[in-house]
Amino acid sequence: MENRKIKDYEEIEGYDIYIEPQFRPFGFPVGLYIALKDGVIINIKPEFGYLTTGVEKVVEGMEIDKAIPFIDRVDSSSAISPELTYCIGLEKTFKIDVPLRAKFIRTALCELSRISSHLLWLTRLANVLGINNALHYCLREREEVLHLIELATGSRLTPNFIRVGGVASNLSPRFIEEFRKFFRSFRKNFNMLKTFFLENELVVNRLNNLGVLIEEDAKNLAITGPNLRALGIKKDVRIDDTYGIYDEISFKIPVGEKGDSLDRCIVRMGEIEQSTSIISQAFYKMPEGEIRTYTEDINQFSGNTRSHIECPHGELAMEISIDEGKITKLRIKSPSYNNLLAFSRAVLGESVEDVEVILTSFDICVCEVDK
Amino acid sequence: MILKSLLLKTFYFLLFLLLGIYVTVYLHKKILAHMQSRRGPLHTGFHGILQTLSQTLKLLLKSPKNFLKSQNLVITIGAIISITFAIAAFLLIPLTGEIFFINVEISLPLCICFIVISNTGTFLSIDRTGLNTNKILGLLDRISTTIVFSVPLFISSLGPVTFASSFNLFEIVKSQGRFYNIIYQPLSMIVFSVTCLLLWQRLSLDVPSKNTYLNIDYLSTQTGLNLLMFSISEYINILSLSLLATLLFFGGWNGPGFLHPIIWTIIKTFILQVMFLFLYTVIPKIKGIKRKINISLAFLSSLSLLNLLIVIFVVLYLKPIFNL
């Protein structure tokens, strides 16, 4: 007991407070070294690496199809996006045609997982703000979305559903039935969730002008996704470099004004609404037909490829090298890593009590940061 | 003979207290769950009635055999302080005109003081193993809340005191024979309930501990009997604060004669508790010592002082004229 060494925050030079990675309000393992002056944060240094899985190394030497379950583990909140990035990249270089129905199914499931990811983010925000009622209502909606994903793919969090050249299985009639039932109630319930956050004066006053990200910082740190759109910059891979069937579907890109926590909240709320409209359009236009094209010479592929998509946290990009059907190199550019650095800029000048709210408002997925 | 009757009285009051806590804990779990679209405890007994008993037994069995040697003595002293003063505060509150433990001339300020002292017991719960940020932040939160919000709590309770011109709880309830204090001084009632909510600690607007984590931050290194004492004292404080609010503003045991007075007290306390729970789930917490000081000293205290001025005016000039 006496000899037990406690990691002391005073040992680190230049920092006043050390928040350990097991600090529960964050919901994920990120340590923070905080330097204070007159109760105001003047410097902050995030510490990460507690969730490292080494996907990039593990995957080396694997066959193309066998790597997909490992790539699932990159993103914990919407695992289907890294799968899609990987498959789209390979299809583009090796010129594999994807059936139209498969494209529609992919889009619908991606948007579903975007909704589930944003709902998880709302849950975290409610938890940090201390609104227990809203927390449980968000979780209830997310549970139903996850149930739908499970019905379609077989797994709630790690679907392992997208294949090179299509998808693994067709949608069952039961899925479509439950999906219709869910969507009727979801629009109504989501409006109720909006009242918890955006029409509640206490929440709006708390989030307003909190953790403002400057445009210069955002550009220097290559921020993408909802955090960039909260600044008023209309950038989205779904429209700028379109993939799948996004060019056949009409949807808006919600943007903010100032880039504070409230704007980030408004943008994500808007994205959930847009995602519901994308899904309903996709199901309306979805044709009958095949869901996968099989290629026999998949073992003779070799070459380099790049791809990027819009995942719930931002732009997820991959660089893949393949030699005779086996992966030799995989590099992942994850948006959450940049968001974490953006947080360390946006939090400057705020007080210590607001750190958890600002960190949560950036929607950081530590699986992505650490890979 | 006197000793025997005193012992019997103590026994009955402690039994009532334990039953009250048991029901409070169960209702907190169940009502909160239904407000948050959950179901709450279901499997231990009929609709989870035995859940609290099982948790208490678990904590008792988890405590080490050689209790005093293995635990840090300072923490145990803190736990004993918090539970003793919580019980003392409860015993000062009369349940009806006939059912009371002790009648002290200054029962109201004494009761509030005991509640505040029992809250300070947790300050002693810091030790070497508790040097994590989570616990320190939780403790600081709790200390600041207790210190800052006991000021408006006391000032707002002075409104009914002035109206009854007595610090005695019996006199305060007697003065509300015709109309309850909530009609005369709603401002004071609002301030008192808000500060009650904040002093609940087990949640409320400012949350050092959240029940969503299934863990109390500032007690995260405690186990066994210590943790049990700390958490029971919190629930006793919740019970006595809502009882006090009932006596001060809702007429206490006054009510139509077809029910026994004690049932009126219990019904009013229950309704207040449900109201508090509703506020707790819906409203986001306040964080940061600056915001807390702003709210408590600038806003709540000045409101209750304003109320006090109005009450003094009424007592001096209007009361003799209208024979209130």
Side-chain angles (χ1 to χ4, degrees), chain A residues 92 236-244 246 307-309 315:
Chain A
K92 209 163 56 182
D236 194 324
V237 183
R238 285 178 291 178
I239 285 186
D240 300 340
D241 185 10
T242 186
Y243 57 92
Y246 283 110
S307 61
H308 62 161
I309 66 155
E315 180 193 0

Side-chain angles (χ1 to χ4, degrees), chain B residues 56-129:
Chain B
T56 316
L57 281 178
K58 191 201 89 180
L59 280 180
L60 280 175
L61 293 174
K62 265 178 91 179
S63 55
K65 280 177 188 168
N66 202 340
F67 184 72
L68 283 176
K69 266 188 189 172
S70 57
Q71 294 283 311
N72 192 335
L73 197 63
V74 180
I75 297 171
T76 313
I77 290 170
I80 289 170
I81 284 176
S82 58
I83 198 163
T84 317
F85 280 96
I87 291 174
F90 179 79
L91 291 182
L92 281 170
I93 302 171
L95 298 175
T96 68
E98 287 92 43
I99 305 173
F100 60 91
F101 186 75
I102 192 165
N103 189 1
V104 190
E105 196 56 38
I106 46 160
S107 50
L108 175 66
L110 211 58
C111 186
I112 291 175
C113 280
F114 282 172
I115 289 170
V116 173
I117 293 171
S118 111
N119 272 331
T120 53
T122 24
F123 301 173
L124 295 175
S125 75
I126 206 153
D127 60 340
R128 273 173 64 82
T129 47

Side-chain angles (χ1 to χ4, degrees), chain A residues 101 104-105 107-109 112 148 152 171-172 175-176 179-180 183 245 249 276-287:
Chain A
R101 184 175 171 81
F104 274 97
I105 293 174
T107 309
L109 281 173
L112 260 183
L148 281 178
L171 296 178
S172 60
F175 170 81
I176 290 165
F179 172 80
R180 281 192 186 131
F183 254 68
I245 48 137
I249 283 172
T276 52
S277 97
I278 290 173
I279 296 168
S280 51
Q281 285 179 57
F283 274 102
Y284 184 70
K285 291 180 180 172
M286 193 181 283

Side-chain angles (χ1 to χ4, degrees), chain A residues 27-30 47-52 74-76 124 313 336 340 363-371:
Chain A
F28 41 73
V30 166
E47 182 198 27
F48 45 86
Y50 293 96
L51 270 182
T52 309
V74 170
D75 192 342
S76 63
R124 278 188 190 146
H313 314 287
S336 289
L340 189 58
D363 192 13
I364 289 151
C365 173
V366 181
C367 292
E368 262 185 21
V369 178
D370 297 342
K371 286 169 283 190

Side-chain angles (χ1 to χ4, degrees), chain A residues 321-336:
Chain A
S321 300
I322 285 178
D323 189 29
E324 294 191 345
K326 285 184 178 170
I327 301 168
T328 51
K329 195 180 167 189
L330 174 74
R331 286 290 173 269
I332 302 166
K333 183 253 162 192
S334 55
S336 289

Side-chain angles (χ1 to χ4, degrees), chain A residues 18 20 128-129 132-133 356, chain B residues 35 133 210 280 285 287:
Chain A
Y18 173 52
E20 297 97 340
V128 164
L129 290 171
N132 288 0
N133 215 3
E356 35 177 336
Chain B
M35 279 173 183
T133 325
K210 297 178 202 157
Y280 150 62
K285 68 176 172 173
K287 245 199 149 197

Side-chain angles (χ1 to χ4, degrees), chain A residues 32 57 64 67 79 85 88 124 132-133 181 209 232-233 270 292 300 313 334:
Chain A
L32 292 176
K57 184 72 188 167
I64 288 174
T85 326
I88 278 183
R124 278 188 190 146
N132 288 0
N133 215 3
K181 220 185 284 172
N209 279 330
I233 301 167
R292 189 176 173 183
Q300 275 92 51
H313 314 287
S334 55

